[in-house]
């Protein structure tokens, strides 16, 4: 048994229990406002695990406080608050297409006492609408590409390729298992092959490398659909 499998087995029962307790507290009306906020961006009972995974993954891939990071689909700053705290002031940029969700993120930022870090938080219908000249050391899209149509994906690749530093890196998780596409909160849930991502990325001057499943990288949710997703690294060719 490898270390990743052992960690999955160790944490899986805890996640099941956390989910059951969350649902019970929800039925009893005992949830705090900050907890309800997490429902806007995914399974609320997993928010701490997902927060810790994001900052741990990026630190493990050499993110430094003096570097700039764009968080695509930053939502309510589930992972963003830890990144804002870690990065130097003004080095975190967050982008979200849903203004009401980003407003919750702004509330979370104020509650966290991290406004002095001066993160740049942006909302727009699409990346195409952002007129910024910043080039980023890291672009982070956690559970974002899986909610993009092919057309939106193409535009996002083009925009990201034009806003990466020469040695910059772009990380995103994708669903490569064969399955039926669905929807989540008005967004598609899309299954695509690695070859598809590779071909579309190459059109925009990006090279991709598969880093393995989220589960193997420390993301333990108890959901095969989530933990079997593949993390990709994109670099400029």
């Amino acid at each position: 048994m490898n270390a990743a499998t052992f960690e999955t087995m160790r944490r899986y029962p805890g996640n099941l229990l956390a989910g059951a307790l969350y649902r019970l507290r929800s039925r009893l009306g005992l949830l705090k406002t900050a907890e309800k906020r997490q429902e806007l961006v995914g399974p609320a009972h997993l928010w701490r695990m997902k927060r810790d995974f994001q900052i741990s993954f990026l630190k493990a891939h050499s993110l430094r406080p003096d570097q700039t990071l764009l968080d695509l689909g930053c939502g309510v700053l589930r992972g963003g608050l830890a990144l804002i705290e870690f990065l130097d002031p003004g080095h975190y940029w967050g982008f979200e297409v849903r203004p009401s969700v980003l407003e919750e993120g702004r509330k979370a930022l104020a509650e966290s006492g991290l406004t002095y870090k001066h993160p740049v938080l942006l909302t727009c219908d699409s990346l195409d609408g952002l007129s910024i000249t910043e080039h980023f050391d890291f672009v982070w899209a956690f559970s974002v590409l899986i909610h993009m149509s092919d057309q939106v994906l193409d535009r996002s690749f083009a925009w990201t390729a034009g806003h990466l530093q020469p040695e910059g890196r772009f990380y995103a998780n994708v669903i490569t298992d064969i399955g039926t596409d669905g929807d989540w909160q008005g967004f598609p849930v899309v299954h695509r092959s690695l070859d598809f991502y590779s071909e579309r990325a190459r059109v925009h001057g990006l090279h991709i490398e598969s880093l393995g499943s989220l589960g193997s990288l420390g993301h333990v949710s108890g959901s095969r659909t989530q933990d079997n997703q593949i993390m990709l690294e994109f670099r400029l060719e």
Side-chain angles (χ1 to χ4, degrees):
M1 181 185 301
N2 61 34
T5 301
F6 176 79
E7 183 66 7
T8 298
M9 293 177 65
R10 184 182 72 82
R11 293 168 61 180
Y12 179 66
N15 286 333
L16 289 179
L17 178 60
L21 289 174
Y22 183 90
R23 290 187 291 273
L24 175 61
R25 293 175 60 239
S26 179
R27 287 196 296 271
L28 294 175
L30 299 177
L31 295 181
K32 300 177 181 178
T33 300
E35 291 178 296
K36 293 179 181 179
R37 181 181 293 143
Q38 298 299 325
E39 296 176 351
L40 296 171
V41 292
H45 70 283
L46 295 173
W47 77 267
R48 290 184 180 84
M49 181 277 290
K50 289 179 178 289
R51 174 200 62 193
D52 295 346
F53 170 78
Q54 293 183 62
I55 186 67
S56 296
F57 175 88
L58 288 164
K59 283 183 177 180
H61 287 79
S62 303
L63 176 66
R64 303 192 312 266
D66 63 320
Q67 293 179 308
T68 54
L69 178 142
L70 173 64
D71 188 355
L72 290 182
C74 63
V76 299
L77 303 183
R78 173 180 279 185
L81 291 181
L83 291 166
I84 290 167
E85 184 174 24
F86 175 73
L87 293 168
D88 289 345
H91 284 220
Y92 174 92
W93 293 57
F95 171 73
E96 173 60 46
V97 299
R98 298 170 293 173
S100 61
V101 172
L102 187 58
E103 181 58 30
E104 289 299 317
R106 295 182 191 277
K107 293 176 183 177
L109 177 68
E111 293 165 7
S112 72
L114 290 171
T115 53
Y116 74 96
K117 285 296 190 93
H118 303 296
V120 180
L121 302 179
L122 306 167
T123 184
C124 192
D125 289 342
S126 69
L127 283 171
D128 297 346
L130 293 184
S131 298
I132 63 174
T133 58
E134 186 76 22
H135 285 68
F136 299 95
D137 299 297
F138 284 77
V139 174
W140 176 241
F142 187 60
S143 298
V144 173
L145 301 193
I146 63 175
H147 296 305
M148 289 182 175
S149 67
D150 292 353
Q151 184 180 31
V152 172
L153 180 75
D154 253 346
R155 295 202 303 264
S156 298
F157 278 169
W159 191 95
T160 301
H163 288 81
L164 272 179
Q165 293 282 10
E167 299 301 320
R169 285 170 282 169
F170 169 30
Y171 292 103
N173 54 300
V174 298
I175 302 174
T176 58
D177 293 343
I178 297 174
T180 303
D181 292 346
D183 64 270
W184 173 82
Q185 295 193 12
F187 295 98
V189 178
V190 185
H191 299 68
R192 301 182 177 102
S193 69
L194 284 179
D195 285 343
F196 180 94
Y197 283 105
S198 181
E199 291 168 5
R200 298 318 305 161
R202 189 179 301 114
V203 168
H204 301 289
L206 294 167
H207 170 76
I208 75 170
E209 178 182 352
S210 171
L211 303 182
S213 70
L214 294 188
S216 70
L217 296 168
H219 181 283
V220 181
S221 70
S223 165
R224 287 176 56 85
T225 301
Q226 293 190 41
D227 298 338
N228 285 353
Q229 291 178 27
I230 301 299
M231 182 65 77
L232 300 179
E233 177 186 83
F234 300 77
R235 292 178 183 258
L236 293 172
E237 291 185 329

